[in-house]
């Protein structure tokens, strides 16, 4: 059974009565909420839980991405217990318009769900210093959270939580290294990391330690390496097909994976300093406009240092942030002799993967030849 | 109905737009520092410099679509690998750069020395300008304007002003020119005068039957984008308003048998202006207002002109960077539309669900429900792409529009 198939059960089993806060993707301040005694989880990877999109389709158009449609379905379907609160930030044009839909009068989500928000500065850091703005946003978020949930911020608890998340990111990186070596499958790695988004940090760490223990020892055949890029990892069946074709996923540039755990800020009890560091220095994502210049260099560097001979772009249908970049990245990679496979996943493609498998096999043949 | 012969304001528009593009190319060729901007970057800033010019790719793309060459230019971008799902303005612009504006009615745009985008109309503009930034190694400045669920907050206003001032320093550094605050102040006053005239023009639609259509406003908004901060723009809007008032006084009506007064929500369907206005007029329907053009010079939650005290131009341009619809959430948009429905005596609303503009379109389904259920105003949703005709079906659109008109009739009978 897919680990996210019963979200309510997982959240209720693990929250221990803490208020549950559903966070919009992509990069919410999880450490902050966690340290304040809340139970944050990121509302993505919901496909296997929500069934259909009937409720979402009444509110947002079918040309919104799967992440947004599934999120709306999850909150508005009435099939799940509502989180006690929702956190959102300016992650993308579609997601910024979604909170008011979730809170619309007469919606299943009701009116007593706390809505917490911040604006993540997207201005070029070389042009305007936005650190003070961001620090103020974090301060205001703390005040709003304290008020909404009758909790108190504590710098010591924050620092402890930050250390826990730091360990968590370290374990993610260790597991990723095992995948690159061929000692672990990317499929099991991605499955654990994605399922972890519903779990508290201590349990996430346990799952990752278990995963790392399962890795094989010894030396492995050095099959052609590929980097997988996108917002979400491709569907399990597609990852299986990539690995079965003899390709080794030597690194990833996935928003829900590496772009989330690659940078570990210096631990501190000051949330303003911590999040300024984290957001300013995190692995560049297509959605972080101020990271645009670094993104190109870091992506090319990632491909080079991982010695990948190919890149598989897993496009999230209708995610324009990603699609504006593909042609230029493709051009730059081709100049370096790196082969490209472009795949696109929309809402129903998880069930119809025959064509993907054929393309993956052809790509593997190309890289093996 | 679209008129076969241009009015005085129509002829004037053609002239000033042609002159504007000619001047743009001429000055660029003579070494002026050229900036490409997103539409709600306050262009008055550039007037503060002796020799800085600006071009607006969105406006140029709209013009290309209006001239019927949008799809051709989109295809050029698609051949480079840009997805058909991307904004058609962006595809037209990227396509245009592949052959230096070979098919463009304005011979394209002069190459930029600086790109300035912002993220409140849509963050994708930053991604779009990044395409040029990477391809041409031209600096790209992203202005970060916080999205509004409530009217603009003081902290955001301060943040925007700091970015405007930083942008000025950047231009000074890159162009080697000094910013003149007085020239800038004068430009802001020209815009302010022009916007007052624009509102006078739009207010003519309050008359039943209306002497203007929203299509007039779509066509005539262009100077606000490409000639912002100039007396030419202000004078044009005065001429336009005078002409509309004159038509009103003399009974020259675009839809003489106006039976249905409609409101349009989304970007103009540039490739359909003439066809759609003609066909609507044949149905005695007039789109008398549009959120797209009503929001110029306004701020969140109302289509009323933002009342400037004419003191601090920085304060004014930072405050009105939240004009347009996309920078606001559902509640604020609803508030503006509710006001327009009442002031313009609207019978029905056309929500144009626009695949090329998600920021404008997401929330429309809830908005439609609110308008219909809470205000009792019939509404329909049609599928449109603002600049890519390949994603528009006239038959489907009019099937829904005609059904809307029938619903309005039925409402009246009840």
């Amino acid at each position: 059974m897919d680990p996210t198939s019963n979200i309510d059960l997982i959240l209720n089993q693990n929250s221990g009565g803490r208020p549950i806060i559903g966070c919009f993707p992509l990069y919410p301040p999880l450490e902050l909420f966690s340290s304040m005694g809340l139970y944050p989880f990121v509302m993505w990877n919901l496909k296997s839980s929500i069934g259909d999109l009937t409720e979402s389709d009444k509110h947002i158009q079918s040309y919104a991405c799967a992440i947004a449609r599934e999120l709306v379905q999850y909150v508005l379907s009435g099939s799940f217990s509502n989180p006690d609160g929702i956190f959102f930030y300016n992650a993308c044009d579609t997601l910024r318009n979604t909170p008011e839909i979730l809170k619309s009068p007469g919606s299943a989500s009701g009116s007593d769900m706390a809505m917490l928000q911040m604006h993540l500065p997207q201005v070029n850091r070389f042009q305007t210093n936005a650190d003070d703005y961001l620090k103020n946003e974090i301060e205001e978020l703390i005040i709003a959270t304290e008020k909404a949930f009758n909790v108190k911020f504590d710098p010591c608890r924050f620092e402890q939580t930050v250390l826990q998340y730091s360990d968590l990111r370290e374990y993610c990186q260790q597991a990723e290294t095992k995948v690159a070596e061929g000692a672990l499958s990317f499929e099991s790695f991605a499955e654990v990391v994605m399922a972890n988004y519903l779990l508290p940090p201590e349990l996430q760490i346990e799952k990752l330690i278990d995963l790392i223990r399962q890795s094989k020892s010894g030396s492995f055949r050095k099959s052609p390496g590929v980097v997988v890029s996108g917002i979400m990892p491709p569907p399990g069946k597609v990852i299986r097909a990539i690995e079965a074709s003899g390709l080794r996923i030597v690194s990833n540039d996935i928003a829900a994976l590496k772009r989330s755990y690659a940078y570990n800020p210096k631990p501190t009890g000051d949330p303003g300093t911590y999040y300024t560091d984290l957001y300013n220095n995190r692995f560049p994502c297509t959605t972080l406009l101020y990271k645009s210049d670094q993104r190109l260099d870091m992506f090319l560097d990632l491909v080079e240092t991982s010695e990948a001979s190919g890149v598989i772009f897993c496009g999230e249908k209708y995610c324009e942030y990603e699609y504006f970049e593909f042609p230029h990245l493709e051009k730059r990679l081709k100049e370096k002799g790196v082969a490209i496979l472009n795949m696109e996943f929309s809402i129903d493609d998880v069930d119809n993967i025959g064509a993907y498998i054929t393309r993956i096999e052809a790509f593997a043949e190309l890289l093996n030849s | 109905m679209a008129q076969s012969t241009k009015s005085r304001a129509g002829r004037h528009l053609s002239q000033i737009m042609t002159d504007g593009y000619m001047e743009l190319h001429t000055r660029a060729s003579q070494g002026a520092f050229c900036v490409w901007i997103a539409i709600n970057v306050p262009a008055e800033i550039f007037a503060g410099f002796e020799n800085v010019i600006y071009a607006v790719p969105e406006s140029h793309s709209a013009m290309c679509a209006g001239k019927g060459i949008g799809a051709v230019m989109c295809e050029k971008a698609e051949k480079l690998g840009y997805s058909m799902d991307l904004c058609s303005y962006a595809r037209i612009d990227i396509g245009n750069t592949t052959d230096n504006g070979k098919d463009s009615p304005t011979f394209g745009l002069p190459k930029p020395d600086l790109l300035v985008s912002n993220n409140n109309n849509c963050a994708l503009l930053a991604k779009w300008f990044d395409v040029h930034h990477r391809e041409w190694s031209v600096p790209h400045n992203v202005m970060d304007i916080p999205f509004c669920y409530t009217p603009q907050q003081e902290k955001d206003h301060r943040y925007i002003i700091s970015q405007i001032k930083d942008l000025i320093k950047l231009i000074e550094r890159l162009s080697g020119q000094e910013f003149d605050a007085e020239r800038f102040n004068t430009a802001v006053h020209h815009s302010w005068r022009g916007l007052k005239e624009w509102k006078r023009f739009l207010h003519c639609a309050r008359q039943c039957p209306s002497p203007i259509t929203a299509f007039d406003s779509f066509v005539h908004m262009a100077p606000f984008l490409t000639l912002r901060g100039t007396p030419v723009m202000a004078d044009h809007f005065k001429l336009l308003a005078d002409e509309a008032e004159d038509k009103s006084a003399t009974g020259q009506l675009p839809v003489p048998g106006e039976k249905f007064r409609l409101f349009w929500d989304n970007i103009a369907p540039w490739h359909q202006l003439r066809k759609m206005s003609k066909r609507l007029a044949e149905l005695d329907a007039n789109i008398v207002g549009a959120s797209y053009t009503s929001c110029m010079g306004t701020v969140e939650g109302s289509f009323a002109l933002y009342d400037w005290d004419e003191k601090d131009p920085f304060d004014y341009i930072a405050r009105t960077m939240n004009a347009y619809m996309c920078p606001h959430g559902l509640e604020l948009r609803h508030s503006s539309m509710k006001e327009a429905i009442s002031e313009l005596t609207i019978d029905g609303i056309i929500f144009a669900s626009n695949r090329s503009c998600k920021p404008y379109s997401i929330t429309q389904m809830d908005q439609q429900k609110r308008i219909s259920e809470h205000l009792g105003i019939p509404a329909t949703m049609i599928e449109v792409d603002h600049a890519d005709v390949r994603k528009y079906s006239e038959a489907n659109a009019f099937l829904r529009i005609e059904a809307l008109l029938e619903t309005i009739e039925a409402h009246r009978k009840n």
Side-chain angles (χ1 to χ4, degrees):
Chain A
M1 191 170 78
D2 187 286
T4 59
S5 61
N6 197 335
I7 297 179
D8 272 357
L9 193 66
I10 295 167
L11 295 178
N12 289 329
Q13 263 178 0
N14 295 295
S15 65
R18 283 174 286 178
I20 295 171
I21 180 153
C23 298
F24 271 48
L26 302 151
Y27 309 118
L30 298 171
E31 304 89 334
L32 180 69
F33 295 131
S34 202
S35 79
M36 292 177 79
L38 307 182
Y39 187 94
F41 75 103
V42 184
M43 297 191 289
W44 53 11
N45 197 35
L46 301 168
K47 164 85 175 153
S48 57
S49 307
I50 54 166
D52 57 40
L53 291 166
T54 44
E55 197 57 36
S56 170
D57 288 347
K58 292 178 196 165
H59 296 273
I60 57 173
Q61 289 92 332
S62 57
Y63 51 78
C65 71
I67 293 170
R69 294 174 73 195
E70 289 168 7
L71 189 157
V72 170
Q73 179 68 20
Y74 167 71
V75 179
L76 293 185
S77 66
S79 307
F80 303 94
S81 308
N82 280 330
D84 300 295
I86 282 190
F87 168 79
F88 55 96
Y89 77 100
N90 49 315
C92 77
D93 287 343
T94 296
L95 288 177
R96 77 182 188 184
N97 275 306
T98 310
E100 288 178 300
I101 293 173
L102 301 183
K103 282 288 282 184
S104 60
S107 72
S109 56
S111 57
D112 47 357
M113 202 166 50
M115 301 297 272
L116 301 171
Q117 176 217 349
M118 74 168 199
H119 177 79
L120 174 62
Q122 299 284 351
V123 69
N124 299 338
R125 300 300 195 256
F126 71 85
Q127 173 62 29
T128 293
N129 187 338
D131 290 355
D132 287 343
Y133 185 92
L134 177 57
K135 283 177 184 169
N136 184 57
E137 287 296 284
I138 296 289
E139 265 174 43
E140 288 188 0
L141 180 61
I142 290 171
I143 293 165
T145 309
E146 286 181 333
K147 199 173 158 197
F149 295 102
N150 198 24
V151 291
K152 266 280 168 230
F153 173 77
D154 178 81
C156 294
R157 259 206 330 264
F158 178 72
E159 190 161 1
Q160 284 162 10
T161 312
V162 159
L163 286 166
Q164 210 172 20
Y165 274 87
S166 178
D167 287 347
L168 179 57
R169 291 191 188 102
E170 285 287 338
Y171 283 116
C172 285
Q173 287 172 35
Q174 279 182 34
E176 189 199 281
T177 305
K178 295 284 181 193
V179 173
E181 290 168 357
L184 261 183
S185 79
F186 184 76
E187 186 191 4
S188 48
F189 168 66
E191 198 176 285
V192 167
V193 177
M194 292 314 296
N196 269 352
Y197 278 108
L198 291 177
L199 300 177
E202 62 277 9
L203 215 52
Q204 294 187 44
I205 291 172
E206 268 181 40
K207 299 275 178 195
L208 283 161
I209 291 173
D210 278 352
L211 178 73
I212 293 165
R213 277 202 198 112
Q214 288 165 31
S215 59
K216 295 177 275 183
S217 54
S219 58
F220 305 96
R221 187 175 64 86
K222 293 291 179 194
S223 50
V226 291
V227 169
V228 181
S229 175
I231 295 290
M232 300 289 283
K237 288 177 193 171
V238 172
I239 300 176
R240 221 170 297 150
I242 295 171
E243 298 190 311
S245 70
L247 298 176
R248 195 165 40 98
I249 298 175
V250 289
S251 195
N252 78 82
D253 166 51
I254 304 280
L257 303 179
K258 193 180 192 86
R259 293 184 208 169
S260 292
Y261 60 68
Y263 181 70
N264 227 346
K266 197 174 158 206
T268 165
D270 174 9
T273 304
Y274 177 80
Y275 283 112
T276 305
D277 182 3
L278 178 58
Y279 285 113
N280 283 354
N281 297 302
R282 72 179 319 135
F283 192 87
C285 175
T286 50
T287 65
L288 301 173
L289 305 177
Y290 58 96
K291 303 290 287 186
S292 167
D293 287 343
Q294 292 155 329
R295 169 149 180 80
L296 199 62
D297 292 339
M298 283 186 79
F299 181 80
L300 295 173
D301 187 56
L302 176 78
V303 174
E304 197 172 316
T305 52
S306 61
E307 297 178 1
S309 29
V311 171
I312 301 177
F313 286 114
C314 301
E316 181 75 36
K317 179 84 171 164
Y318 301 122
C319 177
E320 288 151 317
Y321 291 78
E322 293 278 297
Y323 279 90
F324 266 113
E325 290 209 340
F326 288 161
H328 188 79
L329 283 179
E330 194 171 335
K331 188 173 142 190
R332 296 290 299 272
L333 289 167
K334 280 182 178 164
E335 284 166 5
K336 290 178 176 288
V338 179
I340 313 289
L341 174 62
N342 272 315
M343 294 198 288
E344 178 174 83
F345 297 101
S346 63
I347 202 97
D348 297 319
D349 289 339
V350 185
D351 307 317
N352 308 304
I353 59 157
Y356 295 112
I357 292 175
T358 309
R359 295 180 62 209
I360 289 163
E361 286 170 351
F363 188 61
E365 276 173 30
L366 174 79
L367 294 185
N368 276 309
S369 62
Chain B
M1 189 173 4
Q3 290 165 0
S4 50
T5 53
K6 278 184 180 172
S7 67
R8 196 166 153 234
R11 289 193 301 275
H12 187 253
L13 177 71
S14 300
Q15 190 59 54
I16 62 173
M17 292 304 287
T18 305
D19 291 349
Y21 276 103
M22 288 288 283
E23 190 187 343
L24 184 67
H25 281 292
T26 306
R27 287 185 63 189
S29 67
Q30 291 167 348
F33 185 86
C34 181
V35 189
W36 280 17
I37 62 166
I39 57 167
N40 47 354
V41 169
E44 294 86 352
I45 293 170
F46 312 120
F49 293 90
E50 178 75 35
N51 200 20
V52 173
I53 52 174
Y54 75 94
V56 190
E58 287 158 275
S59 187
H60 175 254
S61 293
M63 180 186 278
C64 291
K67 299 280 182 194
I69 51 167
V72 173
M73 292 170 99
C74 282
E75 280 168 9
K76 294 179 193 177
E78 288 155 19
K79 277 184 192 154
L80 293 177
Y82 290 94
S83 166
M84 213 177 162
D85 291 330
L86 293 172
C87 164
S88 45
Y89 277 170
R91 280 179 288 137
I92 289 173
D93 178 52
I94 294 167
N96 176 62
T97 60
T98 60
D99 53 15
N100 295 318
K102 186 170 74 67
D103 294 321
S104 157
T106 67
F107 309 105
L109 301 172
K111 279 238 171 101
D113 299 299
L114 172 67
L115 301 152
V116 184
S117 66
N118 60 12
N119 60 351
N120 61 335
N121 246 358
C122 73
L124 295 176
L125 254 154
K127 304 301 293 182
W128 160 8
F129 278 26
D130 261 348
V131 171
H132 299 316
H133 164 60
R134 289 171 174 174
E135 203 57 42
W136 296 332
S137 300
V138 170
H140 178 194
N141 179 269
V142 180
M143 297 189 78
D144 176 40
I145 313 299
F147 186 75
C148 287
Y149 299 97
T150 57
Q152 188 185 71
Q153 296 179 55
E154 183 51 37
K155 63 175 182 179
D156 294 336
H157 187 251
R158 283 197 306 271
Y159 177 48
I160 296 167
I161 289 180
S162 74
Q163 292 180 63
I164 292 169
K165 292 189 171 169
D166 285 338
L167 174 62
I168 289 169
K169 282 184 214 151
L170 177 72
I171 297 170
E172 285 187 325
R173 187 160 52 80
L174 294 174
S175 70
Q177 299 176 40
E178 206 175 319
F179 180 73
D180 179 339
E182 199 39 53
R183 288 171 60 115
F184 164 65
N185 188 35
T186 305
V188 175
H189 275 84
H190 287 316
S191 289
W192 168 239
R193 178 166 73 87
L195 283 166
K196 283 191 280 192
E197 298 292 351
W198 178 256
K199 278 292 171 192
R200 184 160 68 90
F201 160 66
L202 291 185
H203 285 174
C204 292
R206 291 176 179 178
Q207 186 190 309
C208 303
S210 168
I212 63 170
T213 76
F215 296 96
D216 298 321
S217 70
F218 294 150
V219 170
H220 285 276
M221 73 184 284
F224 180 65
L225 308 179
T226 60
L227 298 168
R228 195 166 151 175
T230 66
V232 177
M233 179 205 85
D235 292 345
H236 178 72
F237 287 164
K238 181 179 183 307
L239 173 65
L240 186 66
D242 288 347
E243 187 177 87
E245 284 180 354
D246 201 39
K247 281 181 184 172
S248 172
T250 54
Q252 297 173 62
L253 302 171
V255 184
E258 183 184 283
K259 223 166 104 186
F260 305 101
R261 294 169 61 83
L262 306 177
F263 193 79
W264 177 271
D265 183 56
N266 216 304
I267 301 175
W270 295 112
H271 42 82
Q272 293 300 310
L273 298 187
R274 188 174 295 270
K275 263 180 154 178
M276 190 180 271
S277 59
K278 183 172 181 290
R279 199 161 160 186
L280 282 166
E282 284 164 5
L283 295 166
D284 295 330
N286 186 1
I287 300 180
V288 295
S291 55
Y292 187 52
T293 46
S294 297
C295 60
M296 283 162 51
T298 70
V299 293
E300 322 82 19
S302 169
F303 289 139
L305 184 68
Y306 175 68
D307 194 15
W308 183 36
D309 60 8
E310 302 195 34
K311 285 180 185 156
D312 181 352
F314 284 102
D315 172 73
Y316 175 69
I317 60 170
R319 188 67 190 87
T320 50
M321 274 196 83
N322 270 336
Y324 304 101
M325 295 301 275
C326 295
H328 318 150
L330 178 62
E331 292 288 347
L332 292 166
R333 291 191 205 184
H334 183 73
S335 166
S336 305
M337 287 180 74
K338 192 175 158 185
E339 185 183 276
I341 287 166
S342 161
E343 285 176 358
L344 296 172
T345 330
I346 294 298
D347 299 313
I349 301 202
I350 299 174
F351 287 95
S353 175
N354 183 350
R355 283 178 172 265
S356 264
C357 191
K358 293 183 186 71
Y360 217 134
S361 306
I362 306 286
T363 70
Q364 276 183 318
M365 292 172 84
D366 275 32
Q367 195 71 266
Q368 183 180 353
K369 233 170 282 169
R370 282 185 185 206
I371 300 268
S372 300
E373 288 169 14
H374 300 175
L375 305 180
I377 301 292
T380 191
M381 188 170 287
I382 62 171
E383 291 278 335
V384 164
D385 184 294
H386 55 246
D388 188 348
V389 71
R390 296 170 300 170
K391 294 193 198 170
Y392 171 74
S393 160
E394 186 181 341
N396 287 348
F398 269 86
L399 192 67
R400 285 178 181 269
I401 291 171
E402 285 171 20
L404 172 69
L405 303 184
E406 282 170 23
T407 307
I408 294 169
E409 285 266 69
H411 261 244
R412 284 176 181 157
K413 282 178 190 155
N414 293 332

